[in-house]
Amino acid sequence: MEAIENVVIVGAGIAGLATSLGLHRLGIRSLVLESSASLRVSGFALATWKNAWRALDAVGIGDSLRQQHEQLDGLVATSTVSGQPGAQLSFKGKGTHGDHEVRCVKRKLMLEALEKELPIGTIRYSSKVVSVEDSGCFKLVHLVDGTTIKTKVLIGCDGVNSLVGKFLGFKKPAYTGRSAMRGSADFKANHGLGSNFLQFFGNGFRSGFIPCDDTTIYWFFTWTPSDQDNKELKDNPAKMKQFVLSNLGNVPDQVRSFVEITELDCFISSPLRYRHPWEVLWGNISKGNACVAGDALHPMTPDIGQGGCAALEDGVVLARCLAEALNKKVSAETKDREKEEYKRIEMGLKKYAKERRWRSFELISTSYVVGVVQQSQGKIMNFLRDAIMVKFLAKLLLRKADFDCGKLHIS
């Protein structure tokens, strides 16, 4: 059976739903294909910086999420080697694009807020894409159940192992040699942390603790695993918990308790992968009537907290560029009409790619370098990091967030 759609988006993650909602706000229907049976909410939470809030406001869900998450006052970075605070950074200042705003948003609530605003039937669950092929001015999307969907536009928001990205010529993301554990600690009463983002640097380890609201703390722990670590910790949350507690270093008892009370089903561990920055500069972000966004475009390490934020930016820019192309009246007839529309779609996606190429390059590169410095080992590197680099790196977080993806308005 072959169905026909105007726009097919593969993946109902942050980028896919933001793009779909942006298109919906501009009067364009899309179909989102999600391989899972429901929304995927792995990762628990994400740091949401000013650039992300501008994108969330553009698609119309910023205020509802603000009501559920507290605004953070600042960042306190501490060395677990020396025990001395390395930097304190206020999030209350003003940047080029207005006041800074930082919150830690629960991933589940963000995805549900995006989904809630979409027309019923926009997301088709349990729809795994197995292959894509060209068919004249269309793409044919083949699903695991034998269904084939014919579409004028194909958008890959299908994560780091993107099938659409592979179709466009992108290689698999590279492994950094580092891994991250993440968890979410839920309290019955106030957690007592206040409104600061606490970050700790050790000898080859880095950890962070961020309040989402009065009763929830999101935390992360990054390190360079050995083969033995990978073997022992894989799919074993009890050992993950023990490993983190054993390697946190000299942190306050209150901070240690956040890991201790985390339920075992709230631990996840994953290798940190990224796309080589030069691949983004030279690769096909778009080709014809297909493109990629989110982690399918710019998988990056989490060291500046911009992965999800950049995915929201992608959604707004892509929706704007694509709607501008699709909303123009086509003058030609039949076959010529299809070719003219294809050409406009191609130009719209090229415009999107041009806008996102250097931004993606910059964020991937910065995240990688920051991660290497923050997770450094050895006395000399630790001294340079703690004495000099930490203050610079803290300010860098705000600079990379001081970005405006623009509104959905079409000129």
Side-chain angles (χ1 to χ4, degrees):
M1 178 183 172
E2 186 180 274
I4 300 177
E5 297 287 342
N6 282 331
V7 180
V8 167
I9 299 170
V10 184
I14 292 172
L17 295 186
T19 302
S20 181
L21 182 54
L23 289 170
H24 171 61
R25 299 293 193 213
L26 294 170
I28 294 171
R29 182 187 180 280
S30 61
L31 174 65
V32 181
L33 301 176
E34 170 55 45
S35 60
S36 302
S38 60
L39 286 177
R40 289 174 290 120
V41 292
S42 61
F44 305 118
L46 64 150
T48 309
W49 300 78
K50 175 172 71 174
N51 54 319
W53 289 107
R54 287 186 169 272
L56 290 167
D57 286 336
V59 296
I61 64 166
D63 286 341
S64 66
L65 289 172
R66 286 184 178 94
Q67 292 170 13
Q68 300 173 82
H69 302 88
E70 66 177 288
Q71 187 164 353
L72 301 180
D73 293 331
L75 167 72
V76 180
T78 303
S79 168
T80 62
V81 178
S82 66
Q84 298 298 313
Q88 295 189 36
L89 176 69
S90 172
F91 292 157
K92 298 295 186 182
K94 186 183 285 285
T96 305
H97 299 285
D99 294 336
H100 290 295
E101 179 179 5
V102 188
R103 302 171 198 263
C104 187
V105 174
K106 294 179 181 178
R107 186 178 295 268
K108 182 174 185 288
L109 295 182
M110 180 181 287
L111 292 175
E112 287 175 346
L114 289 163
E115 180 190 39
K116 183 181 176 183
E117 294 296 311
L118 290 169
I120 295 172
T122 298
I123 307 173
R124 187 182 296 177
Y125 292 105
S126 301
S127 298
K128 182 178 176 60
V129 177
V130 292
S131 65
V132 174
E133 63 177 308
D134 288 306
S135 179
C137 295
F138 297 87
K139 289 287 184 289
L140 297 181
V141 182
H142 301 288
L143 307 187
V144 71
D145 64 1
T147 302
T148 297
I149 300 173
K150 190 175 185 179
T151 182
K152 294 178 182 178
V153 185
L154 176 64
I155 301 171
C157 299
D158 44 343
V160 294
N161 296 313
S162 172
L163 184 145
V164 179
K166 183 178 179 182
F167 177 78
L168 293 178
F170 279 120
K171 298 176 183 176
K172 280 190 174 182
Y175 175 45
T176 61
R178 300 165 55 219
S179 289
M181 287 190 205
R182 301 174 176 90
S184 177
D186 294 312
F187 293 76
K188 292 180 179 177
N190 193 298
H191 49 63
L193 180 60
S195 300
N196 280 324
F197 173 5
L198 303 185
Q199 196 165 181
F200 299 90
F201 306 102
N203 189 27
F205 301 98
R206 184 172 73 95
S207 61
F209 300 83
I210 321 174
C212 295
D213 50 37
D214 290 339
T215 60
T216 306
I217 298 289
Y218 167 67
W219 60 264
F220 62 84
F221 178 87
T222 65
W223 86 109
T224 302
S226 64
D227 291 340
Q228 187 69 16
D229 289 339
N230 288 328
K231 189 182 294 184
E232 290 183 357
L233 299 174
K234 186 178 180 182
D235 301 324
N236 191 330
K239 287 200 171 181
M240 290 181 199
K241 187 173 192 174
Q242 183 182 1
F243 182 84
V244 174
L245 290 171
S246 299
N247 290 283
L248 276 177
N250 183 24
V251 300
D253 289 342
Q254 180 197 28
V255 169
R256 188 174 294 275
S257 73
F258 298 149
V259 178
E260 289 173 340
I261 74 154
T262 301
E263 299 289 342
L264 292 182
D265 61 356
C266 290
F267 278 80
I268 58 171
S269 179
S270 55
L272 298 182
R273 303 185 185 279
Y274 77 118
R275 190 173 305 292
H276 290 131
W278 54 86
E279 289 183 35
V280 173
L281 288 185
W282 301 332
N284 293 319
I285 295 176
S286 73
K287 186 178 181 181
N289 57 348
C291 72
V292 285
D295 282 346
L297 165 59
H298 45 59
M300 65 185 78
T301 63
D303 301 288
I304 61 172
Q306 280 292 333
C309 301
L312 290 166
E313 292 177 11
D314 292 343
V316 172
V317 175
L318 179 51
R320 183 173 61 235
C321 292
L322 186 53
E324 189 174 7
L326 288 172
N327 282 332
K328 287 181 179 177
K329 289 184 179 179
V330 181
S331 57
E333 298 293 330
T334 333
K335 259 191 178 180
D336 289 339
R337 180 186 179 88
E338 284 184 3
K339 288 180 180 178
E340 184 181 335
E341 189 171 37
Y342 177 91
K343 204 68 184 171
R344 287 182 176 177
I345 290 167
E346 182 180 37
M347 294 307 294
L349 296 185
K350 280 184 177 179
K351 183 178 179 181
Y352 155 74
K354 184 179 180 181
E355 281 196 45
R356 299 306 296 163
R357 194 177 300 278
W358 279 102
R359 174 68 171 164
S360 299
F361 173 87
E362 176 188 35
L363 293 178
I364 293 171
S365 304
T366 304
S367 295
Y368 182 83
V369 172
V370 168
V372 170
V373 173
Q374 288 183 336
Q375 205 176 299
S376 58
Q377 299 185 62
K379 289 183 179 180
I380 295 175
M381 283 299 296
N382 285 344
F383 172 77
L384 291 173
R385 179 195 65 201
D386 298 346
I388 302 170
M389 295 299 293
V390 168
K391 291 181 181 179
F392 169 76
L393 294 174
K395 292 178 181 178
L396 190 64
L397 298 177
L398 289 181
R399 284 207 295 273
K400 295 307 171 188
D402 194 11
F403 180 87
D404 186 2
C405 63
K407 301 185 184 302
L408 283 175
H409 174 71
I410 300 174
S411 58

